């Protein structure tokens, strides 16, 4: 477990470098979103990100992280997070694809994820992605100095539960995190929780908020590749993420253009 003393606070100059890393992440995600189509492989998407990072002078956060073999994570349909890009994985019309990307500039990280529908996707899958994206924004809105980490999870959980007619699982085994000179730092930022609990948010903190939602049960397991997390029911999943700076003026998204 992390304790409060381990939380890294950033100077305005360090946030400026994190903005640069975040911009590269946003560039990668935007380019992938504009080019994704049926027939591409998930490795094709990885190459897009790899080329942009090279061009922008950024290093990928994920490549080599605990041995991860690629620049981005590409998780398709029932894959929730940590899917490994590969030549044999061909995208089809109707696939729901979550792309997670991290970049480093001068030692500072940015981390973000989006979910993209390939061609026409089923309305319930589109809706799942929309709810996850909105849940991320709800979490960002709660990221005010003086609030606590638990307020973020509480806000996200309440928002997701407001869809009474849908059974949506919120992953509990995987959570958001602090970020800075490492991709994963204190504090953990769960997508569920109690208001007013956990670490207090203070100016200078940076956190990655990343709701991971599945239709049906929130039960997941890891495939034999030791990375890919799939929903145990085989139902579709969505993942949206941004890196956020806590500032006296409120939350600022660092992973944007
Ligand atoms: Mg990420
Ligand atoms: Mg993350």
């Amino acid at each position: 477990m992390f304790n409060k003393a381990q939380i890294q606070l950033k100077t305005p100059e360090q946030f400026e470098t994190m903005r640069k890393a975040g911009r590269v992440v946003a560039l990668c995600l935007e380019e992938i979103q504009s080019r994704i189509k049926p027939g591409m492989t998930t490795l094709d998407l990885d190459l897009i990100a790899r080329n942009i990072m090279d061009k922008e002078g950024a290093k990928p956060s994920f490549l080599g992280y605990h041995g991860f073999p690629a620049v981005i994570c590409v998780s398709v349909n029932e894959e929730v997070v940590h899917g490994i890009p590969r030549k044999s994985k061909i995208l089809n019309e109707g696939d729901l694809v979550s792309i997670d990307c991290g970049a480093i500039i001068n030692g500072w990280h940015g981390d973000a994820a989006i979910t993209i529908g390939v061609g026409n996707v089923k309305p319930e899958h589109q809706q799942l992605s929309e709810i996850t994206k909105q849940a991320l924004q709800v979490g960002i809105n709660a990221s005010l100095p003086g609030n606590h980490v638990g307020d973020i999870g509480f806000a996200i959980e309440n928002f997701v539960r407001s869809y009474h007619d849908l059974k949506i699982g919120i992953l509990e085994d995987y959570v958001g995190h602090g970020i800075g000179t490492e991709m994963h730092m204190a504090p953990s930022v769960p997508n569920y929780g109690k208001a007013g609990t956990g670490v207090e948010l203070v100016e200078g903190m940076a956190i990655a908020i990343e709701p991971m939602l599945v239709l049906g049960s929130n039960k997941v397991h890891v495939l034999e590749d030791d990375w890919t997390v799939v929903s145990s029911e085989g139902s579709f999943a969505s993942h949206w993420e941004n890196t956020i700076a806590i500032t006296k003026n409120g939350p600022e998204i660092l992973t944007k253009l």
Side-chain angles (χ1 to χ4, degrees):
M1 284 298 286
F2 299 119
N3 68 51
K4 194 176 171 181
Q6 291 171 305
I7 290 172
Q8 181 183 62
L9 298 181
K10 285 76 170 168
T11 65
E13 293 74 25
Q14 290 166 339
F15 272 149
E16 186 52 36
T17 308
M18 289 186 73
R19 260 179 222 110
K20 289 178 184 162
R23 182 185 151 272
V24 175
V25 171
L27 273 175
C28 292
L29 294 175
E30 189 191 63
E31 184 69 10
I32 288 168
Q33 181 159 31
S34 73
R35 286 173 59 184
I36 197 167
K37 60 173 194 282
M40 289 176 94
T41 71
T42 56
L43 191 64
D44 293 332
L45 305 181
D46 193 71
L47 282 173
I48 292 172
R50 194 175 288 243
N51 288 336
I52 289 173
M53 288 198 202
D54 279 351
K55 193 168 148 246
E56 298 293 327
K59 284 196 288 188
S61 304
F62 299 176
L63 185 64
Y65 181 82
H66 294 286
F68 190 78
V71 167
I72 57 173
C73 298
V74 185
S75 308
V76 182
N77 298 342
E78 77 283 0
E79 299 172 354
V80 191
V81 287
H82 304 166
I84 300 174
R86 54 195 196 275
K87 216 175 176 175
S88 59
K89 183 80 174 180
I90 298 167
L91 297 175
N92 295 303
E93 177 97 14
D95 281 346
L96 196 63
V97 184
S98 295
I99 311 286
D100 194 351
C101 182
I104 311 167
I105 295 272
N106 293 334
W108 292 87
H109 290 252
D111 183 12
I114 60 174
T115 297
I116 313 166
V118 181
N120 285 317
V121 300
K122 285 187 178 171
E124 61 264 38
H125 297 152
Q126 186 59 44
Q127 187 186 24
L128 175 69
S129 177
E130 285 300 322
I131 292 170
T132 313
K133 184 181 184 179
Q134 288 173 35
L136 167 59
Q137 189 57 51
V138 164
I140 293 170
N141 294 346
S143 302
L144 302 167
N147 271 4
H148 293 252
V149 163
D151 292 308
I152 298 172
F154 179 76
I156 290 172
E157 187 176 7
N158 266 337
F159 174 75
V160 174
R161 296 285 167 253
S162 73
Y163 288 85
H164 300 292
D165 50 332
L166 298 172
K167 186 168 189 302
I168 297 175
I170 301 173
L171 262 66
E172 293 180 2
D173 301 344
Y174 299 87
V175 296
H177 49 90
I179 180 168
T181 51
E182 304 286 338
M183 177 167 55
H184 292 140
M185 305 180 84
S188 293
V189 184
N191 297 301
Y192 53 89
K194 282 200 176 87
T197 64
V199 169
E200 185 181 348
L201 302 174
V202 298
E203 197 185 335
M205 283 173 66
I207 53 173
I209 303 175
E210 47 181 317
M212 290 156 266
L213 305 182
V214 294
L215 291 174
S217 152
N218 70 348
K219 263 199 80 189
V220 294
H221 61 271
V222 179
L223 295 184
E224 275 181 2
D225 63 14
D226 282 338
W227 281 105
T228 313
V229 177
V230 298
S231 70
S232 295
E233 289 184 344
S235 52
F236 276 37
S238 174
H239 177 209
W240 285 83
E241 175 180 28
N242 272 314
T243 297
I244 307 301
I246 308 297
T247 81
K248 63 176 185 295
N249 301 319
E252 178 193 340
I253 297 174
L254 299 175
T255 35
K256 64 177 173 44
L257 296 180

